[in-house]
Structure formats: C-alpha cells, structure tokens
Amino acid sequence: MADTYTPCPDVRHFLAMNFTSIIHRPLTQFEVDALIVWTVGFTAILIPNTLLVGVICCKRSLWVQSNVLVFSLCMVNILFCFLYILPIRIVAIGNSIHPFVNVYCQLSQNVILFAFVCSMNFHICSISLEKFIAITSPFWYNQISVKKSVMFISILLICWTIPIFVAFLPLIIGWWRVCPYFCLMSEIRQNRKISLKAWHVFWAFLMFLLPTVITIIFYIRILLVAKDHANRIRTENQNNSVSTSSPFGLKAVKTVAIVVGVYLLLQTPYNVYQVINVLDRTLARRRSAIPHLREWLFYFASWNCVASPLIYGYFNKNLRNRVIPLFRRCKIATTRTSSS
C-alpha cells in the first residue's frame, strides 16, 4: 500500500534530527509582502460583503429571490476570507506536529480553494440566470409560487453542493491521500502525471470556463431582449408622434459590459495561466523572469470578491436604496461629531 502512493514525510522525524526550521522557518521578503497585500485584500473583501449581508438580514422587505442569491454569494466570499485567506495567506499555517493543522493545510491548497472559487463563479452564473428569467418571463417571475421557490432553492443547493463534492472527488476516488504529519498531499503513483493534468484541466473547465460561458450567454440574451424592448418603445413613440428616447437599451449595454467585463478582467489571467502551466511544464522554467507570477495572478483574481458585491449591490435598486442612506447617515454623524 505504501508503494501505491507517494511517500508521506513525518515532521516528527525532522524534529528528532533537530531540523526545527521546517516548523519555525523565517518568512522570506516575498512572504512578508504577500502577508501585507493579503491583509489589505482580506479587509477589502470583508467590508462590502459584510455590509450587504447585514443590510439584507436587517430588512425583511429585501428577502426576495434575487437578493437571496446575492446574500449567498456574499456569504461564500466571507467564508473564503476566514477559511482560506486568513489561515493560509495571512497566518500562513504550515508543517506542524498537530495532525489537524497539517490536514487543513493540505486541504486548503486544493480542496478548500477549489470549492470556494467554484462556488463563487456558480453564484455569479446563477445571478445571470435569475436576471435572464426576470427579463424574459416577468409575469411568472413576479408571481409567488411553489415552483419558483423550489427552483431557487435548487439553484442555491447546486451552487454549494456541487463545488464541495467535486473538490473532495480526488480524495473520494483515491487519487489523493492526506498526510497527518506533514503539509503535503500524497498522490497515487499510477498514471500520476495524466491524472494531475486531467484534474487541473477539469478544474479550470468547471471552476471558470463553464460558468463563464453560461454567464456570457445569459447576459447576451438579456442584452438582446433589452434592446428589443427599447426598439419597441421607440417604435411606439414614433407612431404616437412622441419624440422621447428610451435609455433602457443603453443602460442594459452598460450593465452587461461592466458585469461581464470586470469578471473576465479579474478571472481570466489566472485561469488561463493555470491551464497553460499544467499542459506546458516548460512554462515553470520560463516564468523566472516574473517571480511568483501565479501568486500575484491569484491575488488579482481574488479581487472579484470585492467587485461582485459592489456591482450587484449597485445595480440592484432595492439594495442601492438601502445602502446609500447608510453612508449619508454616517457622513452626517461624522460631520456633527467634528463640528461639535
């Protein structure tokens, strides 16, 4: 059985040989810089997501399907902060004599990271589906029905369960095995390279490509429907000799451009790099010109957790009307305090 998998090192063995630097290793300059920027990213992600979650929870009038999807997306972003960014990027847990720390360290680099990022993108895809249904079937969408509730509950379950299940799939089928006394995943030796390539390509497909394509298709359909609606309004106005122009189509173009453009701008570089790096291993030797490129691309991609609540909170009129007064009240309170 031991020959079936790559060996699991034991940190206790290294400590017995007085190699304490394995546990108490000083941080490099890059790790110090990364800790600082990830602390900034942690704060930037936490503030808008916590704000939206608080607003939605406190206002019962905001408990509608579209806001529930945004609420769920914000919860994924918050959990991503506390379960991945804080322990891995800021505290930087590593090899330990405690098995739980080592197991969590291994799962965080593969399972936890994949589950959260995939769930985020699934939520973004589901929000585009919700907006597509709202604009193409407005009468059915505004009705209160059991079928609609079941559909939204199913969407939420898919956004949470499928990423978690797929993230644990290599452990379930036996490709990976956790090492209790070292932060290193043990991998099955048979067809190891092929399995790793297949998994990482599938990872990129399910985590990024599939939800991205579906999201773009839905938003293009939304754009076409909005433009058709604007053209019909313009035609009716011309027939009635009313010289008014509807900004509906222009607004839809701006909304789609911002939502899809920001998502692609932040997510594409990291995911493309991941696929190229897996398929072309020589890239690892050529990337020395830009040290730690993968880490910085992933940091850049993580800012989608900041952009998504800001975008969906702003373009959701009900949320925007609740959040903006809070800032006005804070500004008034600050002005009164400073003047007194």
Side-chain angles (χ1 to χ4, degrees):
M1 185 72 176
D3 295 332
T4 306
Y5 292 87
T6 56
C8 275
D10 193 332
V11 72
R12 297 171 299 179
H13 170 72
F14 294 106
L15 289 177
M17 298 176 65
N18 203 27
F19 292 155
T20 56
S21 60
I22 294 178
I23 294 182
H24 306 291
R25 181 179 61 83
L27 296 177
T28 63
Q29 184 59 46
F30 168 74
E31 289 172 333
V32 173
D33 297 338
L35 187 150
I36 296 173
V37 298
W38 275 108
T39 303
V40 174
F42 176 86
T43 307
I45 294 172
L46 200 59
I47 291 174
N49 285 282
T50 306
L51 178 63
L52 280 187
V53 167
V55 169
I56 294 174
C57 288
C58 294
K59 301 294 182 179
R60 189 175 180 84
S61 59
L62 296 178
W63 295 2
V64 296
Q65 282 85 355
S66 59
N67 294 337
V68 169
L69 291 176
V70 175
F71 173 87
S72 183
L73 172 62
C74 292
M75 287 303 302
V76 175
N77 294 335
I78 293 172
L79 291 175
F80 177 67
C81 281
F82 286 104
L83 297 182
Y84 179 78
I85 295 178
L86 182 62
I88 304 304
R89 299 294 181 173
I90 298 178
V91 178
I93 63 173
N95 296 315
S96 172
I97 58 175
H98 304 290
F100 173 78
V101 177
N102 292 315
V103 172
Y104 191 86
C105 179
Q106 296 167 66
L107 294 179
S108 63
Q109 299 295 341
N110 298 286
V111 177
I112 295 176
L113 176 61
F114 172 86
F116 278 117
V117 176
C118 187
S119 181
M120 292 173 198
N121 293 343
F122 272 36
H123 274 85
I124 292 173
C125 180
S126 66
I127 291 173
S128 67
L129 170 62
E130 179 267 333
K131 295 186 180 303
F132 174 75
I133 296 174
I135 198 171
T136 55
S137 304
F139 296 106
W140 180 85
Y141 180 83
N142 292 322
Q143 291 177 354
I144 299 176
S145 65
V146 176
K147 290 184 179 180
K148 191 176 71 170
S149 300
V150 170
M151 184 191 72
F152 275 94
I153 293 173
S154 301
I155 291 174
L156 285 175
L157 289 176
I158 290 173
C159 290
W160 283 93
T161 57
I162 290 183
I164 294 174
F165 172 76
V166 176
F168 279 94
L169 190 60
L171 290 169
I172 296 173
I173 64 178
W175 279 5
W176 298 344
R177 188 178 61 174
V178 295
C179 296
Y181 290 102
F182 206 84
C183 181
L184 179 68
M185 194 79 73
S186 178
E187 301 167 351
I188 193 168
R189 292 181 181 273
Q190 185 179 7
N191 299 325
R192 181 188 174 192
K193 292 183 178 180
I194 298 176
S195 300
L196 285 175
K197 283 187 176 182
W199 169 247
H200 282 91
V201 171
F202 175 72
W203 180 338
F205 171 78
L206 185 66
M207 184 176 67
F208 174 70
L209 185 60
L210 179 63
T212 299
V213 171
I214 295 175
T215 300
I216 291 175
I217 290 175
F218 279 135
Y219 276 117
I220 290 176
R221 292 285 299 131
I222 291 171
L223 178 61
L224 294 176
V225 172
K227 291 181 68 176
D228 180 66
H229 180 67
N231 291 333
R232 282 191 282 108
I233 292 177
R234 190 180 301 111
T235 302
E236 291 176 0
N237 290 336
Q238 290 175 354
N239 293 334
N240 296 328
S241 300
V242 179
S243 59
T244 57
S245 60
S246 172
F248 193 73
L250 181 60
K251 182 180 178 181
V253 172
K254 291 180 178 179
T255 304
V256 171
I258 293 174
V259 172
V260 177
V262 172
Y263 174 79
L264 292 177
L265 177 66
L266 295 175
Q267 291 281 339
T268 304
Y270 171 74
N271 287 279
V272 171
Y273 176 85
Q274 281 286 87
V275 175
I276 295 176
N277 189 39
V278 171
L279 298 179
D280 183 12
R281 297 304 300 174
T282 59
L283 178 64
R285 294 187 291 270
R286 297 198 302 266
R287 68 183 179 186
S288 57
I290 308 178
H292 309 293
L293 177 60
R294 178 181 178 275
E295 285 76 9
W296 291 121
L297 287 177
F298 177 68
Y299 176 75
F300 184 66
S302 69
W303 277 82
N304 190 58
C305 300
V306 182
S308 55
L310 294 177
I311 291 173
Y312 294 122
Y314 177 78
F315 284 109
N316 187 315
K317 184 178 179 180
N318 293 329
L319 286 176
R320 186 173 70 247
N321 292 339
R322 297 292 183 178
V323 173
I324 292 179
L326 291 178
F327 287 101
R328 291 175 179 170
R329 292 171 189 170
C330 292
K331 184 178 179 180
I332 294 173
T334 304
T335 304
R336 289 177 178 175
T337 305
S338 60
S339 61
S340 62

